[in-house]
């Protein structure tokens, strides 16, 4: 069982930046960031494999960066050039499977989410 706690959300003006953190009890093979805006389906922001470069959803490529500190069991999401359409609840997710084996964002473990509001 993996416990995940997100932090770092808040309100920011368009063009600004935020950094989200996800503290994990353990960092398995694949971790990811997802978001969900009110009234919309959950959207993949990006994933981070234990060995490999992060991947990103089309909506955030070039603006968001995923990184991790294995010593601190923490996954980060640096969000730059924020837009109002980036508003939503952001979730950290983890799974013991390799990222390529996870279909449709079906991660086993999820955090409680942190709200990001861009105005």
């Amino acid at each position: 069982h993996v416990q995940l706690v997100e932090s770092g959300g808040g309100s920011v003006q368009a063009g600004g930046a935020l950094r989200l953190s996800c503290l994990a009890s353990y960092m398995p093979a694949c971790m990811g960031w997802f978001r969900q805006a009110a009234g919309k389906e959950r959207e993949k922001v990006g994933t981070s494999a234990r060995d490999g470069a992060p991947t990103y959803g089309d909506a955030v490529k070039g603006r968001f960066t995923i990184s991790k500190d294995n010593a601190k069991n923490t996954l980060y999401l640096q969000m730059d050039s924020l837009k109002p359409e980036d508003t939503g609840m952001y979730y950290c997710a983890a799974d013991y499977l390799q990222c390529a084996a996870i279909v449709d964002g079906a991660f086993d473990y999820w955090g409680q989410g942190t709200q990001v509001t861009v105005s």
Side-chain angles (χ1 to χ4, degrees), residues 32-75:
W33 286 101
F34 290 78
R35 67 186 183 184
Q36 188 167 20
K40 295 188 177 181
E41 293 187 354
R42 186 179 64 197
E43 176 186 24
K44 184 182 81 171
V45 174
T47 59
S48 176
R50 178 177 291 158
D51 300 308
T55 64
Y56 300 94
D58 289 340
V60 306
K61 280 181 182 177
R63 299 187 299 120
F64 290 11
T65 304
I66 293 173
S67 63
K68 56 188 174 183
D69 185 333
N70 291 325
K72 295 182 178 179
N73 277 359
T74 301
L75 184 73

Side-chain angles (χ1 to χ4, degrees), residues 70-91:
N70 291 325
K72 295 182 178 179
N73 277 359
T74 301
L75 184 73
Y76 300 102
L77 178 65
Q78 177 67 43
M79 305 185 293
D80 298 318
S81 302
L82 283 161
K83 304 175 182 179
E85 51 263 45
D86 294 319
T87 294
M89 188 69 78
Y90 282 68
Y91 298 92

